[in-house]
Amino acid sequence: MQVRSALAARKSVRAFTEQTVDPVTVEKLISLAGKAPSGTNAQPWQVAVVSGKAKQRLDEQLIAAHNRGDEEKMDYLYYPTDWVEPFLSRRRACGLQLYTTLQIKREDKARQFAQWQANYSAFGAPVALYFFLHPKMQTGSFIDYGMFLQSFMLAAVEEGLATCPQAALGQYPQIVKRELGYPEDSILICGMALGYEDSTAKINSYRTPREPAATYTRFFND
Ligand SMILES: Cc1cc2nc3c(=O)[nH]c(=O)nc-3n(C[C@H](O)[C@H](O)[C@H](O)COP(=O)(O)O)c2cc1C
C-alpha cells in the first residue's frame, strides 16, 4: 500500500466488529510505529496493549467513574481552556457532524452522555492501547509521540485494521495507572481503540473535512 493511500484511508472509527486482533499483529504495528523519529532517538513511547478480561476490568472502572460524574486531573492539558477562532468553530463542527450522523438532537443530553461514554470502552474495540511517557521527559516527546501514533495508525490501515485515537482515555489517569500498574507519576498521553471497522455502523459513515493547505501555508522564496 502506498503511503498516500494509507493517509487517505485512515479515519477515526467508533464502532468495531467482534473480531479479535492477533497479538502478533499488534506487536508488528508497534514495532513499525517504533521506526518513527524522535529527538536524540530517545524513543520515549511506552505502550500498554489491553484486551480480554483486562480490558473489561478497566472499561468497567472508567464507565463507573464517568457514571458517578467523577473527574480527575489529566496529566497534561490536551485542549485549551479558552477556545479561540478558528479552532472553536472547527471543534463545534466536529461534534455537530457526529451528532447529526447519529440523529442526536442538541437537547437530547441522555443520548449525548451515552455516546460520549462509549469512549470509555474504546467504542467496543477488542483492543485499547494506552500510551505513557516518563515524567522526566518534556514537551518535545509529545512531538515524537505524535509521529509514533500516526505511524501506528497508518500501519494499521495497511493491515485492514481501524483505529480511533482517544484523548478521552487520558481523562482518568489515576484509574488507568493503578489498574495497569504504571508509576503514579508517569504521563498518560492518550489511548487508542484498535479493531476491525463495523462498516455497517452509521457512526463510521462520515468523513471529516480539512482546510485547503493554502489557507495555512506560506511560501517564501525571495
Ligand atoms: C490525540 C487525539 C485525541 C482524540 N481524542 C478523541 C476522543 O477522545 N474521542 C473521539 O471520539 N475522537 C477523538 N479523536 C479523533 C478526532 O475527533 C478526529 O481525529 C478528527 O475529528 C478528524 O477525523 P478523522 O480522524 O476521522 O480524520 C482524537 C484525535 C486525536 C489525534
Side-chain angles (χ1 to χ4, degrees), residues 7-14 76 78-79 90 94-95 97-98 115-116 118-120 123 146 149-150 153 163-171 189-192 203 206-210:
L7 281 164
R10 188 215 57 80
K11 64 173 185 180
S12 293
V13 163
R14 299 182 178 87
Y76 69 101
Y78 182 69
Y79 298 110
R90 290 179 194 158
C94 178
Q97 215 181 355
L98 176 78
Q115 180 49 46
W116 180 254
N119 268 286
Y120 301 114
F123 301 108
L149 295 171
Q150 172 75 332
M153 292 190 282
T163 54
C164 185
Q166 293 183 259
L169 292 179
Q171 283 183 324
I189 302 268
C190 67
M192 187 186 289
I203 197 167
Y206 70 93
R207 296 300 301 257
T208 50
R210 293 295 188 274

Side-chain angles (χ1 to χ4, degrees), residues 21-31 159:
V21 186
D22 186 345
V24 176
T25 305
V26 183
E27 210 180 314
K28 182 166 125 190
L29 296 178
I30 293 169
S31 296
E159 286 292 328

Side-chain angles (χ1 to χ4, degrees), residues 30-215:
I30 293 169
S31 296
L32 285 167
K35 306 255 178 236
S38 56
T40 71
N41 202 21
Q43 304 164 68
W45 26 81
Q46 292 168 22
V47 187
V49 183
V50 187
S51 62
K53 286 199 185 100
K55 179 171 183 290
Q56 210 176 324
R57 273 198 308 273
L58 184 50
D59 289 356
E60 276 168 15
Q61 289 200 45
L62 296 176
I63 290 165
H66 184 241
N67 270 333
R68 286 192 301 269
D70 291 357
E71 283 184 20
E72 283 187 17
K73 192 171 175 290
M74 279 183 74
D75 289 335
Y76 69 101
L77 276 186
Y78 182 69
Y79 298 110
T81 41
D82 294 316
W83 284 85
V84 295
E85 292 298 346
F87 314 109
L88 178 62
S89 296
R90 290 179 194 158
R91 176 183 182 232
R92 285 189 178 138
C94 178
L96 193 64
Q97 215 181 355
L98 176 78
Y99 290 139
T100 307
T101 304
L102 296 178
Q103 294 177 300
I104 299 178
K105 296 212 172 69
R106 186 190 285 261
E107 56 282 1
D108 193 345
K109 300 296 174 206
R111 277 190 74 200
Q112 284 173 22
F113 183 87
Q115 180 49 46
W116 180 254
Q117 188 161 91
N119 268 286
Y120 301 114
S121 61
F123 301 108
V127 179
L129 299 137
Y130 288 84
F131 302 97
F132 299 91
L133 181 65
H134 190 283
K136 288 285 185 202
M137 299 308 275
Q138 298 293 338
T139 316
S141 293
F142 284 74
I143 301 179
D144 304 338
Y145 237 120
M147 298 190 207
F148 180 88
L149 295 171
Q150 172 75 332
S151 300
F152 183 95
M153 292 190 282
L154 295 181
V157 167
E158 195 179 42
E159 286 292 328
L161 282 157
T163 54
C164 185
Q166 293 183 259
L169 292 179
Q171 283 183 324
Y172 294 104
Q174 288 167 38
I175 294 178
V176 173
K177 286 181 243 180
R178 198 173 50 233
E179 185 63 32
L180 300 180
Y182 279 75
E184 243 176 70
D185 61 353
S186 56
I187 300 163
L188 176 56
I189 302 268
C190 67
M192 187 186 289
L194 175 71
Y196 293 91
E197 177 178 355
D198 177 354
S199 47
T200 66
K202 230 178 181 184
I203 197 167
N204 292 333
S205 66
Y206 70 93
R207 296 300 301 257
T208 50
R210 293 295 188 274
E211 295 296 316
T215 62

